[in-house]
Amino acid sequence: MTFGGKKELVLKQRTEILHALCSSGSAELLERILDILLAHGELIWEEYQDIQVPVLPEAQGVGLSFSGCCSNLEEKKKYQGTSTQILLTQRPSLVSQLQGCIDGALKALVISGHFSSADCDDVRLPIHTPSQQARRFLDHVRSKGELAAKVVLQFIQQKQESGSQLNEDTVTPPKELFKYQKKLSSSVSAQSCFLSTYGGTSHMSLDDIYTEGQLELSHECVDVHGPLGVEDIVGTAGTMNKEADTVLVSGDAGSGKSTLLQRLHLLWARGAALQDFLLIFPFSCRRLNSEHRELSVQELLFQHCCWPDREQEEIFQFILDHPHLILFTFDGLDELKQSFSDEHRLCCPTQRAPVHILLFNLIQGSLMKGVRKVVTSRPEAVGPVLKKHLRKEAFLKGFSPSGIDYFVRKHHRDPTVAAKVLESLQTNTALLGLCHSPVLCWIVSQCYKELLGCGEGSPQTITDVYLMILQHFFQHQSSQSTLGIGWLQENLETVLHLGQLAFEGIATSCYIFTDRDLETCGVTEKDICMGFLIQSKDMSSTHSQRYEFLHVTLQCFFSGLYIVLSNDTDRSTIPKLFEPKGMREADLRSTCFSACLPSTYQQEQVLEGESTAVETLNLQITATFVSGLLSQRHQSLWIHCCPSAVIEKRAKQVVRCLSKGMQKHFKSIPQPVEGEKKSMHAMPGFVWLIKCIYEMQESRIAKDAMSKLEVDHLKLTYCKIGPVECTALAYVLQHLKNPVGLQLDNNSVGDVGVEQLLPCMHICNSLYLRNNNITDEGIRKLIAKGVQCDNFQKIALFNNQLTDACTQHFSHLLKTKQDFLSIRLGNNNITAEGAKQLAEGLKFNHSLQFLGLWGNEIGDAGAEALASALESSKSLVWLSLVGNGVGSAGACALANIIKNSTSLEELWLTENCITRTGVECLIQALKHNTHVKSIWLRNNYLSLEEVEEMAQRESRLVF
């Protein structure tokens, strides 16, 4: 039959062929055909990769025969070239042969070094049938290259020659499990593919809007740097405790934790990621709060996630038997009403217990050991008791500058609108800083019309942004094209109804509300339709509807509005709000809302007696909004909504609370040790007060606060300082009376944060910004401002993202400021070219005392350039070139500094490539210098005998 005749026959029998391929419910028939097409060269590899075959249980073929299809394979051998080609041309027979000995073949590849354990795990996935595992194996081998292919062919040949076959035990899930997996993935996909807005009346596709945030491992993990992807969350990178099962993703409110989990769920449901896991069970801790029954693990899984249609016991037994194939996710551990505890141990998965006890035991591994768990939480709710049960911890830091750009462009399909929004953000760096928080970036993008129409009144504070979204939502429901000046008064009833609901909820740590709760606070259908509330997806609820605010920060905002505008709040509310423990203790029993809470919850609160960290945090967020709402800038909004005298009185209360809070921090500053500077190590509560002062936007309050702060050094390390906090710090610290050293190490300042700090640069004599993800662009702006500041004398930038490009700015700084004392640029990406650029500035500088470049790559050429510039220096006291690839040529050049310097005391050359020749140069130079105290030379290219000999000759050499 001619080719044309065959093609015509295929087209004529298209329906029968499709029926035969699809009726079995298995992909096996299609995959066999693809194998044959590949083997005969009728299908190229790229075309094969484009055909996505879903993973289905293996079934018998229907109506198609494959006899004789592989008869020409032996003939093909005569023109086969490489082993990888053989894998293609003999693919059908290889798939058949490998099904009995996959594990043996994997072992051979691991021994030969071609396969990692991750590769093996990917092939062994139980979700694949034996034939699919064989195909996956061949695909992996082909990607590894010719040598790997040879190993496989040799292995198969040895097996054939010995006549043996390895019949390994493989995991074979029951058929009902595949049906359950399909139902579960369908359910997970449906719940994950959209984000609700306007109270659920509008939806955004997660694909259309999702933008990756900056996800990084904890600071304790020194072996891994850079951002993580979704797969890395459950990967091996950054593992601190291999015995633990729980991964924690922490981040501030609005940093995108829930959306990250939603993305993770969706990718799994589509088969695009996390395919090592056969089943994923997603939980919301907020919704688990509503579960007051005692449950077993089986009831928790099936009732709160997805109910199996049949064979529940068989499916649950499979989960128990194969925990490594299962993933649990718990979103919002911080919103659970009980603080984490490992005191109540539970080991039996069939034993019933309160939900929080089940959750705590799952996290610590007492229950369902081996099941991987991913938990999200705000950092404040994560204590040492929980941390000891963590496999690893990652921090979600919100959007990077490029992330903001990407998000805005995805949010606005019209590129002209997107460009205008981004241009508006670039001209308002305070607002740009706010947009590092994904929830705030969404608000700003959502309110682009209000943003572009506000001119010079562009939002500066978080309160400004939330007032903008408030107006936007009312506008969205209004029949008028624009809202009038009295828009708030027109919607005051809705604000107060929702405000009371939010306030009562915050006071009692309640985030999901029943119809009865809404009725108690007077919330009407009209109020619900405004879009600030959405229906809660509470799968365990079979009766009344439940509601929650779009975001917890929006609940805090409405709570703040209620405190400012309501006639029903006690005059002690604001003072207690700034003392969160007092707020909770006083208001829990006094509010009418507590009567609507289940008695079990009230009993729990009496037993616990203390507020959890997140309750305190939500009250602090509310207090921040109250500060902003009572700012002079917004008081015109409250006309006709609340008597002016009441507003003024409440504003004065806030000012007194802020002053009192700052004084409390100042009094805690210890007296300095004799000879040392007075230092204040600020706590997170101090940063919160600073943010409240900034929200008020009244310089007199900032001046008053700073007039009482008398320290030489202000330490704010590990305080979660991002661009938003930098804006607030600069606003307040610029009013300090005396210069201060500002230490912001190990935060998330970034380039935008650096720009926000510029207004207070004149008061900083030293700036420490180690490990803050700062790039050359941030340094350009920092130095441009720094050269104008008389007090600025020291900078430390260890472990950032700096390259040679930044050194031209430091060179300019050294030439310009003849009183600059210290530059520390360790662990960046500076090479010999950067060192040469730096040397140009050093030639003209007569003040620098400390220069740190450890952990870069300057080599001999860089060391020689620096030595030439510094050999006549009369100010340099300390120089570090640790771990820079410096050899003996560089050491000999540096010896000239030692020979000529009258100021140098320490030279650090540890972990370089210096041999005996270089050390001899240093020894000779030391004969001319009695001022140098030590030269550090550990871990260089020296033998033990050489080290011993030279240490005896020169005691100032440290090996």
Side-chain angles (χ1 to χ4, degrees):
M1 186 181 289
T2 64
F3 172 77
K6 290 178 181 177
K7 184 178 178 182
E8 203 169 287
L9 182 62
V10 168
L11 289 173
K12 192 177 290 185
Q13 296 186 2
R14 177 185 173 92
T15 304
E16 289 81 5
I17 293 171
L18 285 174
H19 175 74
L21 287 173
C22 301
S23 60
S24 69
S26 169
E28 180 61 24
L29 298 179
L30 176 59
E31 291 189 21
R32 287 189 203 173
I33 291 173
L34 294 176
D35 290 344
I36 295 166
L37 292 173
L38 274 172
H40 285 266
E42 301 297 339
L43 189 69
I44 63 173
W45 183 253
E46 288 73 19
E47 291 171 337
Y48 173 77
Q49 288 180 310
D50 286 340
I51 302 173
Q52 300 296 318
V53 180
V55 176
L56 294 169
E58 197 165 13
Q60 296 298 316
V62 178
L64 286 181
S65 171
F66 291 90
S67 59
C69 288
C70 302
S71 58
N72 295 327
L73 287 177
E74 291 302 318
E75 294 178 18
K76 288 201 172 229
K77 285 186 180 179
K78 62 187 178 187
Y79 59 84
Q80 286 170 355
T82 65
S83 297
T84 49
Q85 285 177 320
I86 294 174
L87 293 188
L88 276 183
T89 57
Q90 295 196 39
R91 186 179 178 92
S93 62
L94 288 173
V95 167
S96 176
Q97 293 175 61
L98 282 167
Q99 287 182 45
C101 54
I102 283 286
D103 280 5
L106 288 171
K107 186 176 180 181
L109 285 166
V110 170
I111 292 171
S112 64
H114 293 100
F115 261 39
S116 66
S117 59
D119 292 326
C120 296
D121 290 342
D122 193 39
V123 170
R124 286 195 190 104
L125 276 176
I127 193 172
H128 299 298
T129 64
S131 60
Q132 287 169 337
Q133 285 186 340
R135 291 184 183 96
R136 198 173 184 87
F137 171 81
L138 290 172
D139 295 346
H140 272 277
V141 172
R142 190 177 186 277
S143 71
K144 298 292 183 180
E146 181 68 10
L147 292 176
K150 281 184 178 179
V151 171
V152 172
L153 293 176
Q154 288 170 2
F155 170 80
I156 292 173
Q157 186 176 357
Q158 289 169 2
K159 287 294 172 189
Q160 289 173 337
E161 288 172 355
S162 64
S164 66
Q165 192 176 44
L166 212 61
N167 291 316
E168 309 282 354
D169 289 333
T170 57
V171 177
T172 307
K175 290 184 179 179
E176 281 302 322
L177 190 90
F178 286 108
K179 293 179 182 178
Y180 179 65
Q181 182 206 38
K182 187 175 181 180
K183 181 178 181 181
L184 177 63
S185 62
S186 177
S187 173
V188 169
S189 176
Q191 292 187 42
S192 305
C193 59
F194 291 107
L195 291 168
S196 293
T197 58
Y198 303 120
T201 60
S202 178
H203 297 282
M204 295 182 295
S205 166
L206 187 64
D207 290 328
D208 291 343
I209 203 68
Y210 182 77
T211 302
E212 285 191 359
Q214 300 175 91
L215 183 65
E216 299 175 4
L217 291 169
S218 65
H219 293 300
E220 289 80 6
C221 183
V222 295
D223 59 327
V224 182
H225 300 283
L228 304 178
V230 171
E231 295 265 20
D232 296 321
I233 295 173
V234 292
T236 56
T239 299
M240 297 181 294
N241 180 2
K242 291 182 180 179
E243 299 303 313
D245 303 320
T246 299
V247 176
L248 174 70
V249 177
S250 61
D252 292 334
S255 60
K257 300 183 295 297
S258 297
T259 309
L260 174 66
L261 275 193
Q262 193 171 331
R263 179 66 173 173
L264 182 150
H265 297 154
L266 185 59
L267 290 175
W268 172 80
R270 288 176 173 171
L274 301 170
Q275 294 306 288
D276 289 350
F277 299 104
L278 203 56
L279 302 174
I280 286 185
F281 293 95
F283 298 95
S284 163
C285 293
R286 175 183 289 193
R287 289 162 196 148
L288 289 178
N289 279 329
S290 303
E291 180 58 83
H292 302 292
R293 299 171 296 167
E294 292 194 353
L295 301 175
S296 67
V297 174
Q298 180 174 345
E299 289 167 335
L300 178 71
L301 298 183
F302 295 162
Q303 292 182 21
H304 277 267
C305 289
C306 181
W307 186 263
D309 294 326
R310 54 200 297 182
E311 305 295 346
Q312 290 92 343
E313 295 301 327
E314 183 183 10
I315 292 170
F316 186 63
Q317 189 59 51
F318 180 86
I319 292 169
L320 294 177
D321 292 341
H322 305 93
H324 63 287
L325 300 177
I326 313 300
L327 175 66
F328 295 166
T329 65
F330 296 98
D331 187 29
L333 181 66
D334 51 292
E335 294 186 350
L336 206 66
K337 289 174 181 173
Q338 299 81 10
S339 297
F340 179 83
S341 168
D342 59 2
E343 293 179 1
H344 191 143
R345 292 298 176 100
L346 189 67
C347 301
C348 179
T350 58
Q351 182 180 341
R352 286 178 172 164
V355 168
H356 70 278
I357 298 294
L358 288 182
L359 176 53
F360 295 162
N361 279 276
L362 286 168
I363 289 172
Q364 64 188 290
S366 299
L367 274 174
M368 308 294 285
K369 182 66 179 172
V371 170
R372 192 62 55 85
K373 300 101 182 176
V374 177
V375 177
T376 67
S377 174
R378 283 185 264 183
E380 290 79 5
V382 182
V385 178
L386 174 57
K387 286 204 172 191
K388 69 182 182 182
H389 298 293
L390 296 181
R391 185 177 182 86
K392 66 179 172 182
E393 182 177 2
F395 294 101
L396 189 57
K397 298 182 175 181
F399 290 153
S400 63
S402 59
I404 294 172
D405 186 284
Y406 185 71
F407 179 87
V408 171
R409 293 187 189 282
K410 284 192 82 171
H411 193 270
H412 298 287
R413 293 183 180 177
D414 185 341
T416 306
V417 173
K420 287 181 179 178
V421 172
L422 290 169
E423 183 182 354
S424 179
L425 292 179
Q426 292 299 329
T427 58
N428 182 348
T429 56
L431 186 58
L432 180 62
L434 292 175
C435 285
H436 281 264
S437 167
V439 71
L440 295 179
C441 193
W442 173 78
I443 290 174
V444 168
S445 294
Q446 198 76 3
C447 304
Y448 71 95
K449 289 181 180 177
E450 290 84 351
L451 176 68
L452 298 177
C454 60
E456 293 182 2
S458 183
Q460 298 289 316
T461 68
I462 295 175
T463 307
D464 294 347
V465 172
Y466 277 78
L467 281 170
M468 189 165 66
I469 195 71
L470 183 72
Q471 185 176 2
H472 174 80
F473 270 55
F474 286 140
Q475 175 68 67
H476 184 76
Q477 293 296 332
S478 175
S479 56
Q480 302 172 17
S481 57
T482 56
L483 294 177
I485 194 170
W487 64 270
L488 187 62
Q489 184 186 1
E490 293 169 11
N491 295 283
L492 183 60
E493 281 192 6
T494 294
V495 169
L496 290 175
H497 293 161
L498 294 175
Q500 183 180 350
L501 184 72
F503 174 69
E504 306 278 17
I506 291 293
T508 54
S509 193
C510 183
Y511 309 102
I512 291 184
F513 309 97
T514 65
D515 289 331
R516 186 181 173 191
D517 300 332
L518 270 62
E519 185 181 342
T520 301
C521 295
V523 177
T524 65
E525 191 64 36
K526 176 190 172 187
D527 301 332
I528 294 171
C529 289
M530 288 297 175
F532 300 106
L533 294 175
I534 57 173
Q535 284 191 25
S536 177
K537 300 170 185 175
D538 191 349
M539 296 180 71
S540 66
S541 176
T542 56
H543 44 282
S544 63
Q545 291 180 335
R546 294 176 184 268
Y547 297 88
E548 57 188 303
F549 282 88
L550 267 175
H551 195 268
V552 68
T553 54
L554 194 64
Q555 184 174 344
C556 293
F557 176 66
F558 270 98
S559 180
L561 282 168
Y562 184 73
I563 291 169
V564 169
L565 297 176
S566 174
N567 295 322
D568 298 329
T569 52
D570 191 274
R571 65 180 182 179
S572 64
T573 299
I574 287 177
K576 288 171 182 171
L577 186 64
F578 284 86
E579 290 286 345
K581 285 186 180 179
M583 171 75 177
R584 191 178 173 283
E585 289 164 1
D587 286 324
L588 179 61
R589 297 175 183 85
S590 65
T591 58
C592 60
F593 192 71
S594 63
C596 304
L597 295 171
S599 58
T600 52
Y601 171 68
Q602 295 183 49
Q603 290 165 11
E604 286 167 4
Q605 303 308 310
V606 172
L607 288 171
E608 288 175 13
E610 291 186 8
S611 57
T612 62
V614 74
E615 287 170 341
T616 299
L617 186 62
N618 287 338
L619 291 170
Q620 287 183 340
I621 295 173
T622 301
T624 306
F625 281 127
V626 169
S627 302
L629 292 168
L630 288 170
S631 164
Q632 289 284 346
R633 301 161 64 239
H634 296 311
Q635 290 198 8
S636 60
L637 274 174
W638 319 133
I639 297 172
H640 308 304
C641 294
C642 188
S644 298
V646 173
I647 295 294
E648 289 176 14
K649 185 177 179 179
R650 289 173 178 169
K652 288 177 180 177
Q653 278 186 305
V654 170
V655 173
R656 281 196 297 271
C657 290
L658 292 175
S659 179
K660 183 181 175 182
M662 295 298 278
Q663 286 298 314
K664 187 177 177 181
H665 280 277
F666 298 158
K667 287 177 182 177
S668 68
I669 302 173
Q671 289 300 313
V673 177
E674 189 175 348
E676 293 186 2
K677 292 182 177 181
K678 190 175 183 181
S679 179
M680 173 184 171
H681 193 158
M683 304 304 287
F686 176 79
V687 179
W688 163 57
L689 291 171
I690 291 284
K691 289 170 74 174
C692 288
I693 293 172
Y694 174 71
E695 289 294 315
M696 294 204 81
Q697 287 288 291
E698 295 180 39
S699 58
R700 63 178 180 84
I701 301 173
K703 284 179 182 176
D704 181 64
M706 292 299 99
S707 68
K708 300 176 181 68
L709 178 60
E710 296 180 0
V711 292
D712 301 303
H713 192 85
L714 183 57
K715 193 173 182 181
L716 288 155
T717 57
Y718 292 105
C719 280
K720 299 185 299 168
I721 305 293
V724 174
E725 290 73 24
C726 287
T727 306
L729 278 170
Y731 179 82
V732 177
L733 295 182
Q734 65 180 316
H735 298 294
L736 280 167
K737 292 188 295 183
N738 300 312
V740 67
L742 182 58
Q743 188 169 353
L744 296 170
D745 297 337
N746 300 301
N747 284 294
S748 306
V749 172
D751 291 347
V752 176
V754 165
E755 192 169 1
Q756 298 309 300
L757 288 171
L758 299 184
C760 72
M761 278 288 292
H762 67 280
I763 205 69
C764 296
N765 53 35
S766 55
L767 191 56
Y768 302 87
L769 290 164
R770 301 176 182 95
N771 196 26
N772 268 288
N773 203 32
I774 297 165
T775 73
D776 301 326
E777 177 60 18
I779 296 306
R780 182 185 69 78
K781 294 177 181 178
L782 180 66
I783 299 301
K785 178 69 175 180
V787 295
Q788 303 170 17
C789 301
D790 294 337
N791 292 315
F792 185 45
Q793 294 184 315
K794 298 179 182 179
I795 190 164
L797 289 156
F798 175 81
N799 198 33
N800 280 285
Q801 307 294 322
L802 308 183
T803 70
D804 292 335
C806 79
T807 56
Q808 63 178 308
H809 307 302
F810 284 108
S811 183
H812 174 61
L813 173 74
L814 290 166
K815 291 176 184 177
T816 307
K817 284 185 69 65
Q818 290 301 320
D819 61 347
F820 209 79
L821 302 177
S822 177
I823 296 176
R824 299 174 190 255
L825 303 174
N827 206 31
N828 282 285
N829 301 293
I830 297 170
T831 69
E833 291 306 310
K836 291 173 184 177
Q837 187 70 247
L838 205 57
E840 290 302 310
L842 289 167
K843 289 176 184 177
F844 299 94
N845 185 272
H846 306 292
S847 63
L848 195 72
Q849 296 178 358
F850 301 89
L851 178 60
L853 289 168
W854 62 99
N856 284 286
E857 303 167 10
I858 69 166
D860 281 336
E864 288 168 349
L866 292 174
S868 175
L870 291 167
E871 63 182 1
S872 60
S873 172
K874 293 182 173 52
S875 62
L876 191 69
V877 174
W878 181 90
L879 173 63
S880 174
L881 299 178
V882 171
N884 264 282
V886 176
S888 291
C892 290
L894 292 166
N896 290 327
I897 303 178
I898 297 169
K899 189 183 294 183
N900 300 321
S901 176
T902 58
S903 59
L904 186 67
E905 295 180 1
E906 286 189 69
L907 174 61
W908 286 73
L909 295 171
T910 303
E911 295 178 3
N912 279 293
C913 316
I914 302 169
T915 63
R916 184 186 185 99
T917 303
V919 180
E920 288 288 355
C921 288
L922 296 172
I923 291 174
Q924 292 303 314
L926 284 170
K927 291 179 180 178
H928 302 278
N929 191 320
T930 58
H931 192 73
V932 173
K933 294 179 180 178
S934 58
I935 300 177
W936 294 75
L937 288 163
R938 287 175 179 161
N939 297 330
N940 275 280
Y941 290 0
L942 301 165
S943 67
L944 290 174
E945 293 78 10
E946 288 173 327
V947 167
E948 187 175 344
E949 179 215 326
M950 289 185 283
Q952 289 178 352
R953 288 170 56 192
E954 177 53 72
S955 61
R956 288 176 289 175
L957 299 181
V958 182
F959 295 100

